[in-house]
Amino acid sequence: MTKVLVIESSARQQGSVSRQLSQQFIANWQSAHPADAIHVRDLAVDQVPHLDANLLGGWMTPAEQQSDAERVALALSNQLTDELLAADVLVLAAPMYNFAIPSTLKAWFDHVLRACVTFKYTESGPQGLLSGKRAVVLTARGGIYAGGAQDHQEPYLRQVLAFIGIHDVSFIHAEGLNLSPEAYEQGLNQALAQLTTVA
Ligand SMILES: Cc1cc2nc3c(=O)[nH]c(=O)nc-3n(C[C@H](O)[C@H](O)[C@H](O)COP(=O)(O)O)c2cc1C
């Protein structure tokens, strides 16, 4: 049984294109693989905290010496990381906000890029510790950026995913959504059509 982890990061529940794509991905996946487990973590509903001194302290302090606050901070961070470790397929649904990914999704990465758990440093450089996983990234953008120098989403996400060992990454961009009603339809329909190639 394959385990799929879906990370939602649109701040809106209604009218969200990235959510529409992820919902269609889930429907496609369930239809093709009915026995698989799909876990959805919605970062707009359950926002994860920014890194703070308690979490960094918890990461670096032996368990028996941790403060209560460090243990609490570590518990959520461990849960997020365990969800990623358990997944075979990671689906990131990501709007473009101010040329980048939502800060909620960045905060999630700050938890799961964990030294000695999802990556480690070696004499020859950093090494990702996740193996055998693939990722699908579903973006929604008001303008058009794919392949251009102003696309700060895809290169960043490829880098952080590769850093933890996820190299098999597919991107589907719904673009031009805010340009005109026609562009919206075109951007959405192209992305929906591409979904059949990844699920
Ligand atoms: C706060 C905010 C910032 C945005 N910044 C950008 C941007 O930099 N570039 C862009 O093309 N679209 C931008 N947009 C438009 C969104 O990417 C677009 O509406 C997208 O559909 C949002 O994803 P969603 O439909 O899943 O909510 C922004 C929207 C919001 C709400």
Side-chain angles (χ1 to χ4, degrees):
M1 185 183 71
T2 300
K3 290 184 180 167
V4 181
L5 173 63
V6 180
I7 305 291
E8 300 283 5
S9 61
S10 173
R12 55 181 180 165
Q13 299 290 331
Q14 303 299 323
S16 161
V17 170
S18 61
R19 287 178 189 276
Q20 191 174 338
L21 296 179
S22 59
Q23 290 311 305
Q24 188 60 51
F25 177 94
I26 290 171
N28 292 357
W29 193 277
Q30 284 176 327
S31 161
H33 317 279
D36 287 355
I38 298 182
H39 178 65
V40 179
R41 178 166 280 280
D42 191 333
L43 299 176
V45 175
D46 293 314
Q47 290 196 3
V48 302
H50 287 155
L51 298 185
D52 64 10
N54 286 324
L55 182 57
L56 297 192
W59 281 348
M60 291 166 196
T61 308
E64 62 280 4
Q65 293 170 24
Q66 287 164 1
S67 68
D68 288 346
E70 287 173 341
R71 278 194 202 100
V72 168
L74 205 47
L76 171 63
S77 197
N78 286 345
Q79 188 184 349
L80 298 170
T81 309
D82 289 345
E83 286 174 3
L84 175 60
L85 291 171
D88 303 296
V89 179
L90 172 67
V91 179
L92 301 175
M96 178 178 279
Y97 286 162
N98 299 318
F99 308 102
I101 59 171
S103 56
T104 49
L105 183 55
K106 173 61 166 60
W108 180 83
F109 274 112
D110 286 341
H111 284 272
V112 303
L113 267 63
R114 179 88 73 88
C116 302
V117 180
T118 57
F119 74 92
K120 67 177 181 181
Y121 287 110
T122 70
E123 284 181 359
S124 53
Q127 181 187 333
L129 295 178
L130 304 184
S131 62
K133 300 186 194 299
R134 62 178 284 229
V136 176
V137 183
L138 310 169
T139 75
R141 297 143 168 216
I144 293 178
Y145 301 88
Q150 292 180 5
D151 183 350
H152 303 296
Q153 285 188 314
E154 181 167 338
Y156 170 75
L157 288 170
R158 283 195 186 281
Q159 179 163 354
V160 289
L161 290 169
F163 185 72
I164 54 177
I166 304 178
H167 302 279
D168 180 355
V169 187
S170 308
F171 279 80
I172 293 179
H173 301 293
E175 296 203 285
L177 300 171
N178 293 355
L179 299 182
S180 69
E182 295 75 22
Y184 176 95
E185 286 300 320
Q186 190 182 346
L188 174 59
N189 288 334
Q190 275 183 0
L192 287 171
Q194 285 175 37
L195 273 179
T196 56
T197 64
V198 293

